[in-house]
Amino acid sequence: MAVMSRATSSRWAKLLLLVAALCCLVYPAVSVKHENFKTCDQSGFCKRNRAYADSAAASSSSWVSPYVLDSASVTFSKGQLSGTILKTVTTSDRPVRLPITISFFESGSVRVTIDEEKRQKGEIELRHGSKARKERYNEAEKWAIVGGTKLSSGAAAAQDAQPGTSKIMYGLGTKFEAIISHSPFGIEFKRDGELHIKLNDRGLLNVEHWRPKIDKPQEEKKEGEDDNTEPKALTEDESTWWDEAFGGNTDTKPRGPESVALDVTFPGYEHVFGVPEHTGPLSLRQTRGGDGNFNDPYRLYNADVFEYEMNSPMTLYGAIPFMQAHKKDSTVGIFWLNAAETWIDIVKSKSSANPLSLGIGSHTDTQTHWFSESGLLDIFVFLGPTPQDVVSSFSELTGYSQLPQQFAIAHHQCRWNYVTDEDVKDVDRKFDKSQIPYDVIWLDIEYTDGKKYFTWDPLTFPNPIGMQKQLDDHERKLVAIIDPHIKNEGGYSVVDELKSKDLATHNKDGNIYEGWCWPGSSYWVDCFSPAARKWWGQLFQYAKFKGSAHNLWLWNDMNEPSVFNGPETTMPKDNLHHGNWEHRDVHNLNGLTLVNATFEGLVSRNKEEEKAGGVRPFVLTRSFYAGSQRMGAMWTGDNQANWEHLEASLPMILSLGVSGFPFAGADVGGFFGNPSRELLTRWYQAGAFYPFFRAHAHIDTRRREPYLLPDLERGIVTQALRLRYALLPAWYTAFHAASKTGAPIVQPMYYAHPGDEKGFAIDDQMYLGSTGLLVKPVTKEGASSVDMYLPDNEKYFDYSDYTSYSGPGHVKIEAPLDRIPLLMRGGHIVPRRDRPRRSSGLMRFDPFTLVVVLGNDGKAEGEVYLDDGESYDYEQGAYIHRKFTFSGATSSLASEDVGIKGKKTSQYLQQMKDVQVEKIVIVNAPSSWKSKTEVDVSEEGTTSSGSSKKAGFGFISGEAGKADWAVVRKPGVSIGGGWKISFA
Ligand SMILES: *[C@@H]1O[C@H](CO)[C@@H](O)[C@H](O)[C@H]1NC(C)=O
């Protein structure tokens, strides 16, 4: 939930009420309060770095970057190049020494880290008696990086480097090269001899070195005096070096200016993707003005942005500073490891390889410019060549997304608020009565006793255990919100411990930091502290969090952190965290640390769970950083019940998916405002294809649980929900793939078809994993059809009636209200479970349907992954992972084991042995099967004896425009077994 909403206690809340009331006058035509958030011009270091870029551009050819790698300092050994960059400040001063390391990893990724010697050694003076650390923040890696940093043994310095350069060959088969120019410093990265990434190509590298504050006599400036009368080129704008005021708060900046910046050029690349979280197109826009471009850089400074706007580079709740550049058949990427406020400028420039070639060979370069307020300059470079290679390298570093419990990928019902435990039970019963499946019901802040987390309101939730018991009867779960702000109220044990153990975030003076949030006056747990995380984690034990049961899971909101009376609705940057790091340094990691503590606490909440090896936690977070994907799901925060927000949810989710955080969703129905029936219906149809699928609504909205809809819409929404449940095996398989390879769960066109240029900018249709299911949710009011883009000449079939479409190009798909434009691409096999159930837990032993969609070449393949959907037993082999292949040549379908056996494999297989494939549908069946009435089925172990059995077969000729299809009834094979069905 965002800031400006109805709260019920404290004077502060009354003020908010007034503001909220004023807002309501214009409701629902609401919009973000720009004045609450900085533009680049209002952010000192952003303005300075842009000005630096402008002066570089203005002096173009005469511009020389003042950063030189001291050739004498360069050493290379064991996959690592080290040296010192010298920054010339003035001709008279000694140059500033900036140690640099360039690490070449076994994985083929490269890391370039630049520090500052004086700060590193603590040879600086802090102002205002600050206790802050003197070093540049060097612990972001502790949170974000979990693997992939084994130094390469094969990386080698090439002997043929030009004078004044170093050249390192690396990567598998040493097909990658890094050419490091010493003066000025810069790096070119090549793959197979071709240039893909240039660092400091435009000379915008900037490390604002430490300097003492020199108090100059105040120069008087006369009214109306023109600033431009004197040449300013060499003077720096010092106005925000030593302190910076915004919105009534002053940041004291005890370390002075300390930003880091670098330009990164992608020659020949027209598209860049990533750097969530923003609204706007998946293919990022240019940011330096002009038609259709943004005027401000993309900003990453996690914030609770109330009523955020569409199509904007403004910051939102989370930050992943990872970018991919893509062109036909090539993808490369970078990861800017920095947790401070960060901005990214993007400019695309047309250039021509040969000016005489008249367009031939002309191409677009994408030039990016990254700047962060403080910390190390730390950048990782990935050379691809496929989108999957880049995402997978990034995921290897920052961790793969969690394999969630199965319920977590089913349908969630949330609202601010279900007001009593009886209300929850009543909603639960109504879902059942209407036969609408759902797995999880959620409690927003009102369940607590006066916004004191880990308590229940004794009047409205007198029997939480009874409530959770009713949910558990149908394998349903409860998710409760717990935020990081702890109410400052005497006698509340959580705050008493927080204070007595000194585990809260401190202000700049080193005292406990106090601010305002939902409970009124609050303190913030400092999860950068190991002791605080340990303490926070144990609060979730059943014995501590009274009234919580094993089917209760967690929602961490407001973890940017949101502070109602703080600058930009968050903490002052000069606050101090564990280790005396300034909040400035760690801001974008703050949300991740809370989720980490919650996650670790939930793995086991009593001795029994601990002994069993723990349970997979479920935690939803609003704020995130690179690495948060290891711990659960995110959602896109407080959206609005309008068509624009529905439309925007797709590129947002796709962007997260290609940035390593695929478990993403948007509030179905829109958080603020009341959706029309049509909008709500369309939103459920889209939500059925969000990896994280939760309906949610603001406290001032009308109830909108799907059973409240009139018959028509209720039926349609129920269909969409059943579709989600039927496809859960496909979803779970996609989640499994994401947890192993980082592959997005829903995939944009460029990702699935990296050679198809027409698809690169498309962000309103997507594939579900590698299933070949291509969906384009309707996001326009009154639409009765959509134009879907087919990327290749494969055949595509309507999911429900097998209408056949051929690409490449656009096709019109009818989409009356009761239809989701959903196609099946030829060549794939999709696992389903078709029995409607109340919750996914009740489907555990349900039989499977396989849908085989034959491609142009008469082949198809697909897979299924399943396990118990809750424990960590899969880590010991307790899972089924089968690959299905339909061979055109032999006209047969086979199931093959692609899992790895472990201690618990046979036990799990035994448990699942009666779970069968009950039906196989073959779409685009060859007409030669027309007269067939049965097929041969052989199971593993019985083939040699020739004891195959028969299964019933039927062939259905498609009417005009529809594919022929066939069905195998009750083949009698197990989902976990090896078998082959012959259609010959
Ligand atoms: C949480 O953080 C700790 C300390 O950095 C780390 O050891 C642990 O692996 C993290 N947990 C997850 C799930 O990433």
Side-chain angles (χ1 to χ4, degrees), residues 142-143 533 596 599-600 630-631:
K142 206 178 109 179
W143 294 103
R533 291 198 301 279
N596 173 284
F599 180 101
E600 297 290 346
R630 303 189 299 265
M631 293 164 268

Side-chain angles (χ1 to χ4, degrees), residues 412-477:
H412 300 252
Q413 179 64 45
C414 187
R415 151 163 206 96
W416 180 21
N417 223 97
Y418 293 113
V419 294
T420 63
D421 49 17
E422 283 306 324
D423 187 12
V424 169
K425 286 155 74 175
D426 184 52
V427 171
D428 181 61
R429 279 189 293 263
K430 285 179 171 146
F431 268 101
D432 281 347
K433 192 150 172 270
S434 316
Q435 302 190 323
I436 300 176
Y438 91 100
D439 269 50
V440 192
I441 189 162
W442 291 55
L443 292 177
D444 211 316
I445 52 174
E446 311 298 335
Y447 78 92
T448 56
D449 182 8
K451 315 289 186 298
K452 292 185 296 239
Y453 302 113
F454 304 98
T455 70
W456 303 85
D457 186 314
L459 294 177
T460 52
F461 286 83
N463 185 8
I465 293 289
M467 167 180 68
Q468 289 160 91
K469 169 82 179 58
Q470 178 182 314
L471 297 173
D472 193 42
D473 285 346
H474 297 135
E475 298 222 24
R476 292 199 177 116
K477 322 288 170 187

Side-chain angles (χ1 to χ4, degrees), residues 954-966:
F955 186 94
I956 299 91
S957 299
E959 299 151 34
K962 298 195 168 97
D964 294 342
W965 60 285

